[in-house]
Amino acid sequence: MADDSIDPEIIALDRASVRSIDADRRLHIAMSNISKADVNPYYGEEIPDFEKFGLDPKRVYYMLRDPEELAKAAPTFNNLPILAKHMPVNAEAPAQELVIGSTGTDARFEEPYLQNSAVIWVQDEIDDIENESKREWSCGYRYTPDMTSGKYNGLHFDGIMRDIVGNHVALVHEGRAGPDVVVADTMPKELDIMAKSPARKVANFKITMDEGIDVDDVVSLIGALNGVEAEPAADEEPEDDPEKKDDKPAADEDDDKLSQVLSFLD
């Protein structure tokens, strides 16, 4: 029996009101979740100054994107470039060929989400959003690691991200922050997974990228995290469990897959 208490036309209007197209065909998003307070896995070598903390570069550490730190960082996510893929940027290296839009000026933290408005300027990217083939946000940012362990919402973490400063936001197929960090905040039909791929540091920028990897890699990672050995492909070596101190991730990872980590967020 249908629920007559909810008017489907009202729901449609509410969803439509989040997005609008201007006279020049640019897409405006009134408000969207761009990152999320959460606990995510990172390899030690991806954590800034991991040597100083004595971290094992090949061990997985769980880092908390702290809600208080995200709240303080909100203004730094205003007026940031939105990129077609992850690339640390600054005034001397703006990566103009990758810029597809901009975040707005009204960033705010509504626990557990960091939110902001946005505009997309490029038709191909607008099409990807509209057909839902590419619509998750992934933030690139700097942070200072605080390797104090604890629990957040029942999840153990090994360290906390502090002094977060936004660098850019990327529109990606799958972001580390999860499928609820999407353009217009609509849930896609995807696997409900919490573990995401490690982010990647680039050059001396030390920008954390909150983006995931492809489904095959995610399935392998989740299997490893849960102590289940995935069936290796014919030309691949089996991956070890990254939660065991003596185990390491596959050494010969395909560079194309690594590039997808850059192609964060939350």
Side-chain angles (χ1 to χ4, degrees), residues 174 191 213-223 230-231 233 236 239 257 260:
E174 183 179 10
L191 293 175
I213 52 180
D214 62 33
V215 173
D216 291 339
D217 287 341
V218 172
V219 170
S220 297
L221 176 60
I222 294 172
E231 185 70 23
E236 293 181 347
E239 292 189 3
K257 289 182 180 180
Q260 292 181 40

Side-chain angles (χ1 to χ4, degrees), residues 5-201:
S5 65
I6 300 176
D7 186 340
E9 292 187 4
I10 294 177
I11 295 176
L13 286 170
D14 287 344
R15 288 176 178 171
S17 68
V18 176
R19 302 179 189 173
S20 61
I21 300 291
D22 66 21
D24 295 305
R25 305 300 301 166
R26 291 178 288 251
L27 173 66
H28 297 262
I29 301 104
M31 190 59 66
S32 213
N33 299 333
I34 63 172
S35 190
K36 181 181 180 181
D38 202 1
V39 177
N40 293 128
Y42 295 81
Y43 286 108
E45 62 190 359
E46 299 173 287
I47 297 172
D49 299 321
F50 72 92
E51 303 98 332
K52 183 179 74 174
F53 294 102
L55 304 182
D56 182 340
K58 300 303 180 184
R59 175 186 166 188
V60 169
Y61 296 87
Y62 286 83
M63 300 296 293
L64 170 63
R65 203 176 299 108
D66 183 82
E68 292 185 4
E69 296 294 333
L70 272 182
K72 290 191 296 184
T76 73
F77 286 86
N78 285 327
N79 294 320
L80 292 186
I82 297 177
L83 307 182
K85 66 177 183 179
H86 274 303
M87 178 68 67
V89 292
N90 60 26
E92 294 181 349
Q96 290 173 311
E97 71 281 3
L98 296 178
V99 177
I100 62 172
S102 173
T103 62
T105 59
D106 44 5
R108 67 190 187 194
F109 182 71
E110 296 285 344
E111 193 163 1
Y113 299 109
L114 177 64
Q115 303 174 325
N116 204 347
S117 56
V119 59
I120 303 296
W121 302 324
V122 179
Q123 188 62 54
D124 286 348
E125 303 295 333
I126 294 172
D127 291 342
D128 285 344
I129 291 172
E130 295 292 348
N131 65 32
E132 301 187 356
S133 65
K134 181 182 176 185
R135 61 170 190 162
E136 291 194 20
W137 296 125
S138 179
C139 291
Y141 51 89
R142 297 175 177 84
Y143 73 95
T144 300
D146 172 3
M147 299 311 294
T148 301
S149 63
K151 284 191 175 183
Y152 174 73
N153 288 344
L155 298 174
H156 169 80
F157 60 82
D158 300 298
I160 304 168
M161 296 179 175
R162 300 201 184 278
D163 307 320
I164 296 171
V165 177
N167 178 266
H168 66 274
V169 175
L171 181 65
V172 301
H173 295 283
E174 183 179 10
R176 186 196 299 259
D180 49 349
V181 179
V182 299
V183 176
D185 196 22
T186 302
M187 287 292 288
K189 296 179 180 178
E190 297 184 9
L191 293 175
D192 182 15
I193 53 177
M194 292 185 63
K196 297 288 183 177
S197 76
R200 184 182 181 187
K201 291 189 299 181

Side-chain angles (χ1 to χ4, degrees), residues 219-230 239-243:
V219 170
S220 297
L221 176 60
I222 294 172
L225 289 171
N226 287 278
V228 178
E229 186 172 352
E239 292 189 3
D240 297 325
D241 182 352
E243 293 219 287

